[in-house]
Amino acid sequence: MSDIQLQPTDKKIIGELNVPGDKSISHRSVIFASLAEGTSKITNFLTGEDCLRTVQAFRDMGVEIEQDDGSLTIHGKGIAALQEPVVPINFGNSGTTARLMSGVLAGLSFFTTAFGDESLSKRPMDRVAVPLRKMGARISGRNKGGLLPLAFDGTSLQGYDHKLTVKSAQVKSALLLAGMLADGKTTVTEIGETRNHTEMLLPEFGVDVEVDGRTICITGNQQPTAADVKVPGDISSAAFFIVAAALLPGSDLVIKNVGLNNTRNGIVQTMQQMGADIRADVHTHIGKEPVGDVYIKGGSLKGIELGGQLIPNVIDEIPIIALAATQAEGTTIIKDAEELRFKETDRISAVADTLNTLGADVETTEDGLIIHGKGKLSGGVIHSYGDHRIGMMGAVASLVSEQAVTIQNKDCINISYPNFFEHLNQSLK
Ligand code: SPQ
């Protein structure tokens, strides 16, 4: 576990940046291509640790996957050709791998066991295990199958009409994948809109999915066919540079070719509400995903209220939005974000502890944060909590700190942004 010390700087964030491929779309591309018949090529794939866990899960089931930097060639032989893994599958730190793969493993014709690291082993799996059992899935494990390690005694599933009680794209996606393998029709009705990459990408692999408002319907026993996917840049990774630029007057940054799906682009709207000089222009579509450039200049920010339907759209950006709020004039209230308690760490506590250690004034509530903007932070020594988004928030905090910021266990940043520090150094001018 290595540390990094970042010294105060009066440089600005200037120039053009290409952030790594979208994590959510990278996971889904590997899963769909590995289940498909035929050879798929995935480009601009995120080679962060989490997505490589999904790659390894399918290699463990006999799928031939070649990797050449950010390009994957996946030689799918179809669902029926997947083989029982001889060793337990390691989901590492990746909640997306764990939840989406549960939907797949439950409906295959063999037995699988899976485990994760200490953080993932504390994250709730009953949110997928309980609805999957309603389709006939046989899942057991710690805490009655609510926590990893889990065992999947694969079996034929039956379609089911699911009404979700949690706002989660991972749960929705797990149930749609199980529905694709099941007999009959599966519907999933959400209580609020969550990222829709599964519904957008599955049809590219020849799978029929119908979307009617918040209800998504998939017919069972569908065999995906190979497709090529170019993964757009990850807006959740871009968010760290968006806020860094917004916080430093004189900054002028363009982030190129980033995914601007309207279930993910709430960071742009949030920063606009805070008074930032930011604009996003969609210039193309990759498949159905809108892709464009984000232009951001440094200036001053004001406090806002953030809650309701926008929360799932910015759920992974809340740590960096909270940092922005420490530099804003007035108070920022973030509510309806109780899902943050179930991430790589309890992000409500971790954000408040980290920012307060650096000299901010942040209070926690059951479902969010109250941040009293007060300008420059003092600096200090913080821990990433093994959470990539807390680590990157700490690094950006160093840009508005009077003294150095030391981040302990910075390596977790490799989970979603392996070249984060390289990009930060290149952008500071
Ligand atoms: O994969 P993991 O660890 O769950 O990743 C996180 C992240 O910060 O990168 C959350 F910790 O993103 C999730 C996101 O919060 C990725 C995701 C997806 O790809 O479907 C959906 C969201 O989670 P959820 O629980 O709301 O479905």
Side-chain angles (χ1 to χ4, degrees):
M1 276 197 237
S2 60
D3 301 353
I4 189 167
Q5 189 177 60
L6 300 163
Q7 297 299 333
T9 176
D10 28 6
K11 290 183 179 170
K12 318 290 173 217
I13 300 280
I14 308 253
E16 276 188 13
L17 184 65
N18 280 288
V19 293
D22 186 274
K23 178 157 86 67
S24 296
I25 299 176
S26 293
H27 280 297
R28 285 156 174 82
S29 306
V30 176
I31 295 174
F32 305 165
S34 297
L35 295 172
E37 263 170 5
T39 298
S40 303
K41 189 137 189 157
I42 319 294
T43 48
N44 200 35
F45 175 76
L46 170 63
T47 54
E49 285 171 12
D50 270 17
C51 297
L52 293 175
R53 295 288 178 190
T54 301
V55 169
Q56 188 56 42
F58 281 101
R59 284 184 174 147
D60 290 349
M61 289 188 277
V63 180
E64 190 195 337
I65 303 178
E66 296 168 66
Q67 188 192 338
D68 181 10
D69 285 334
S71 291
L72 297 183
T73 307
I74 302 182
H75 302 278
K77 293 205 168 70
I79 296 162
L82 293 171
Q83 294 158 18
E84 181 170 283
V86 283
V87 292
I89 296 179
N90 185 355
F91 293 149
N93 188 253
S94 177
T96 309
T97 312
R99 272 66 174 264
L100 271 61
M101 290 304 293
S102 294
V104 174
L105 298 174
L108 296 178
S109 59
F110 47 74
F111 181 80
T112 322
T113 53
F115 67 103
D117 70 5
E118 203 182 323
S119 151
L120 188 59
S121 303
K122 291 183 192 143
R123 293 176 68 183
M125 292 299 294
D126 42 0
R127 54 180 55 200
V128 285
V130 169
L132 285 170
R133 284 197 196 104
K134 292 184 177 152
M135 302 174 78
R138 297 188 294 221
I139 303 173
S140 55
R142 238 166 21 102
N143 201 30
K144 296 189 181 134
L147 292 171
L148 288 163
L150 292 177
F152 300 86
D153 189 5
T155 187
S156 55
L157 303 176
Q158 300 302 316
Y160 192 84
D161 185 9
H162 295 282
K163 309 272 184 246
L164 298 192
T165 52
V166 57
K167 286 182 202 154
S168 165
Q170 293 176 352
V171 175
K172 169 178 65 177
S173 302
L175 299 176
L176 289 173
L177 285 164
M180 184 180 84
L181 303 175
D183 290 331
K185 200 171 84 172
T186 293
T187 56
V188 182
T189 303
E190 299 194 87
I191 39 167
E193 189 177 50
T194 62
R195 66 191 70 191
N196 60 5
H197 306 300
T198 299
E199 305 89 290
M200 303 258 276
L201 192 58
L202 267 178
E204 306 279 315
F205 287 83
V207 177
D208 283 337
V209 181
E210 280 169 41
V211 180
D212 181 8
R214 292 210 179 126
T215 299
I216 305 116
C217 176
I218 190 161
T219 310
N221 292 315
Q222 294 196 66
Q223 169 58 63
T225 49
D228 293 340
V229 180
K230 187 173 171 204
V231 180
D234 195 325
I235 183 86
S236 300
S237 298
F240 294 95
F241 287 91
I242 288 174
V243 170
L247 292 182
L248 300 176
S251 292
D252 192 350
L253 179 71
V254 186
I255 306 175
K256 308 283 288 177
N257 302 318
V258 68
L260 291 170
N261 178 315
N262 62 16
T263 62
R264 293 285 300 284
N265 62 3
I267 181 70
V268 176
Q269 193 183 324
T270 303
M271 294 308 290
Q272 277 165 348
Q273 277 170 18
M274 294 183 87
D277 182 352
I278 179 170
R279 142 178 146 245
D281 292 346
V282 172
H283 58 61
T284 189
H285 281 74
I286 301 183
K288 289 192 194 125
E289 295 282 351
V291 177
D293 300 335
V294 178
Y295 300 80
I296 174 99
K297 289 188 178 154
S300 58
L301 300 178
K302 58 178 192 285
I304 57 165
E305 265 205 35
L306 184 59
Q309 292 300 337
L310 194 59
I311 291 295
N313 192 315
V314 293
I315 193 75
D316 297 338
E317 286 68 82
I318 289 177
I320 193 66
I321 291 169
L323 171 67
T326 67
Q327 303 302 298
E329 200 184 311
T331 297
T332 294
I333 299 172
I334 300 174
K335 55 184 187 180
D336 306 321
E338 59 282 344
E339 271 297 307
L340 287 175
R341 297 208 181 265
F342 308 108
K343 302 297 180 188
E344 282 82 332
T345 182
D346 172 346
R347 284 185 179 157
I348 292 180
S349 303
V351 165
D353 287 351
T354 306
L355 293 176
N356 287 337
T357 301
L358 295 176
D361 182 358
V362 181
E363 295 169 60
T364 61
T365 61
E366 271 296 289
D367 66 347
L369 295 156
I370 301 173
I371 303 135
H372 304 283
K374 61 179 234 187
K376 275 226 158 190
L377 302 175
S378 46
V381 180
I382 55 173
H383 199 281
S384 67
Y385 292 86
D387 183 333
H388 51 132
R389 303 209 189 272
I390 301 295
M392 288 187 276
M393 178 193 77
V396 178
S398 74
L399 305 178
V400 289
S401 292
E402 271 152 4
Q403 318 261 318
V405 171
T406 301
I407 305 163
Q408 295 177 331
N409 185 15
K410 69 160 184 9
D411 293 346
C412 60
I413 291 174
N414 293 333
I415 281 166
S416 65
Y417 203 152
N419 47 357
F420 173 77
F421 287 107
E422 200 186 306
H423 282 185
L424 186 60
N425 285 336
Q426 281 165 9
S427 306
L428 280 169
K429 287 178 187 131

